Amino acid sequence: MTAEGVAYPIDLHTHSLRSDGAYAPGDLIRMAASRGVRVQALADHDTLAGVAEAVAVGEQLGVRVIPATELNTESDWGDVHVLGYFVDPADAGLEDRLRWLRENRGRRIELMVERLAALGHPVRLERVMEIAQGGALGRPHLAQALFEAGHVPSYDAAFDTLLSKDSPAYVARVGLTPLEAVRLIRAHRGVPSLAHPGTVAVELEVALPELVDAGLAGIECYYGSHSVDATVRYLSLAERYGLIPTGGSDFHGRGEHGAPLGGVRVPPASVAALDERRRSALAGAAYHVEPLGRAR
Ligand SMILES: [Zn+2]
Ligand SMILES: [Zn+2]
């Protein structure tokens, strides 16, 4: 291990069953601790409900838990997901907005259940809700219900044939645009980072300047399914636009996204940079500074 090498795993993107993950927040932190993880962000979709439990377990086991959420967005930019670090679970204004997003999420899943029935793949909404165990409803829960009911040969096949965008049972969500998601996180003194940029359907050179103007502070460069070339490209974009390179496993507990919990190398410097932005956000300063050499 070199002096600047990573001495311990850091995972800045994980999900618990408070949204669409498979494990309770505390169990997730216990698993992470057993793998040597010392810094972990819990980034459940549209909710901060798991943060208190995760933090409490983290304090016992020496894992620093960073509160976070991941916001999906609706636009013609494809799947733009925005991670918001250091948002406050006690922030009632933010919780109001997250509740609105969760309610839209639930209505959308109901509509998809209706479409699946019409397509000859009936699943019971009650079963989908049981699978979610009270978490924010999502397509992964539908996929599991379809698999259990024998409509598809595997969990992945449910997405491939029925649930992905342009598939017959897909229903778009009503929600935030990418710029609104970034502004929401900023307005609540969080630090926004663009998750898995490979799912953005437009050129990043088109999307990033607008996202940066809205207050984007990071980009998820380190990610299980990124090739080395992709990682290098995202790191160069981070430098060009003055963004913090973040990263994580996007662990849900079902083997997706190509990395085990704590299995993506994230440098401690990324955490230090997020902390620095956090301090600026709390101080109320406009912490976005115009990056050097930014192309317009
Ligand atoms: Zn995502
Ligand atoms: Zn995620």
Side-chain angles (χ1 to χ4, degrees):
M1 208 173 299
T2 59
E4 67 273 21
V6 180
Y8 52 86
I10 292 167
D11 197 329
L12 300 178
H13 189 163
T14 65
H15 297 274
S16 78
L17 56 69
R18 294 302 186 148
S19 62
D20 55 357
Y23 296 96
D27 291 341
L28 188 68
I29 301 302
R30 282 182 199 98
M31 285 171 67
S34 75
R35 294 170 191 202
V37 172
R38 283 203 236 149
V39 183
Q40 180 173 352
L42 180 66
D44 278 317
H45 298 283
D46 307 335
T47 184
L48 294 163
V51 168
E53 180 184 328
V55 167
V57 174
E59 279 171 0
Q60 291 165 17
L61 300 178
V63 180
R64 178 186 172 202
V65 174
I66 295 176
T69 188
E70 183 176 19
L71 305 176
N72 295 23
T73 65
E74 295 303 321
S75 73
D76 52 11
W77 283 3
D79 283 329
V80 179
H81 294 184
V82 176
L83 292 158
Y85 293 111
F86 301 112
V87 280
D88 181 358
D91 180 336
L94 178 61
E95 175 54 23
D96 275 351
R97 297 292 284 161
L98 294 178
R99 189 183 310 115
W100 177 78
L101 290 168
R102 291 196 299 271
E103 286 167 1
N104 284 338
R105 203 174 246 285
R107 276 195 286 280
R108 179 234 197 166
I109 295 300
E110 282 175 41
L111 287 172
M112 289 183 76
V113 165
E114 286 173 19
R115 285 210 187 173
L116 285 166
L119 290 163
H121 304 294
V123 291
R124 289 184 310 112
L125 182 62
E126 294 72 28
R127 180 58 197 145
V128 178
M129 292 170 77
E130 276 168 26
I131 292 168
Q133 298 183 59
L137 283 178
R139 284 181 294 166
H141 306 126
L142 265 186
Q144 194 173 327
L146 282 163
F147 175 58
E148 280 178 10
H151 294 303
V152 287
S154 70
Y155 173 90
D156 285 343
F159 270 90
D160 293 344
T161 60
L162 291 166
L163 303 179
S164 63
K165 220 167 204 163
D166 304 321
S167 297
Y170 182 82
V171 174
R173 290 174 63 193
V174 177
L176 302 168
T177 67
L179 300 184
E180 286 170 341
V182 168
R183 290 191 191 111
L184 179 67
I185 297 299
R186 282 291 304 268
H188 292 275
R189 300 192 168 197
V191 180
S193 181
L194 176 64
H196 42 69
T199 62
V200 178
V202 291
E203 289 296 326
L204 287 168
E205 287 81 352
V206 171
L208 282 175
E210 290 195 46
L211 291 164
V212 168
D213 275 346
L216 189 72
I219 179 170
E220 196 168 53
C221 298
Y222 312 106
Y223 194 77
S225 58
H226 287 172
S227 65
V228 172
D229 283 355
T231 302
V232 167
R233 171 159 184 259
Y234 299 139
L235 286 170
S236 82
L237 286 169
E239 198 174 338
R240 179 169 161 192
Y241 292 104
L243 296 167
I244 300 164
T246 66
S249 64
D250 207 357
F251 180 82
H252 287 68
R254 299 185 186 88
E256 322 93 314
H257 305 306
L261 185 60
V264 172
R265 181 195 174 281
V266 180
S270 291
V271 178
L274 287 173
D275 280 332
E276 181 57 39
R277 296 291 176 109
R278 167 59 168 166
R279 279 191 287 276
S280 305
L282 277 184
Y287 64 80
H288 169 62
V289 290
E290 206 66 18
L292 293 172
R294 180 171 144 207
R296 299 273 354 199

